[in-house]
């Protein structure tokens, strides 16, 4: 049985209001303050393949540069 847990907002998120959440099989992502953050297993969008139990900011280089993120979608092992 799965139980909800409080999302750690003390690290990278810095207390920003969470405006979107999506969960998958191996990771989950949120939107806070116009940025996307992911935690879980591998490829979290920050340029590394490291797992993270706490949210890390998704890189906003390239086509995401200077854009405000408004939603995220997480599948079984893919995040968008």
């Amino acid at each position: 049985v799965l139980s909800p847990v409080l999302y750690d907002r003390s690290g990278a998120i810095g207390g920003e209001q969470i405006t979107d959440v999506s969960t998958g099989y191996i990771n989950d992502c949120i939107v806070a303050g116009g940025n996307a953050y992911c935690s879980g297993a591998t490829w979290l969008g920050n340029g590394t393949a490291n797992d993270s139990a706490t949210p890390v900011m998704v890189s906003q280089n390239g086509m995401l540069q200077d854009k405000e993120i408004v939603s995220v979608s997480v599948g079984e092992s893919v995040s968008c």
Side-chain angles (χ1 to χ4, degrees):
V1 175
L2 299 176
S3 300
V5 295
L6 183 63
Y7 213 90
D8 180 2
R9 295 174 41 183
S10 62
I13 299 169
E16 292 281 352
Q17 180 178 354
I18 296 172
T19 55
D20 192 36
V21 176
S22 185
T23 60
Y25 182 69
I26 60 171
N27 59 23
D28 59 290
C29 296
I30 64 165
V31 175
N35 297 302
Y37 301 85
C38 295
S39 61
T42 67
W43 306 112
L44 300 175
N46 64 344
T48 72
N50 299 330
D51 296 354
S52 179
T54 58
V56 295
M57 184 185 286
V58 172
S59 174
Q60 289 185 248
N61 295 327
M63 61 193 274
L64 292 178
Q65 189 169 356
D66 300 322
K67 302 289 191 282
E68 179 181 352
I69 308 298
V70 295
S71 67
V72 289
S73 181
V74 177
E76 183 175 336
S77 60
V78 177
S79 305
C80 297

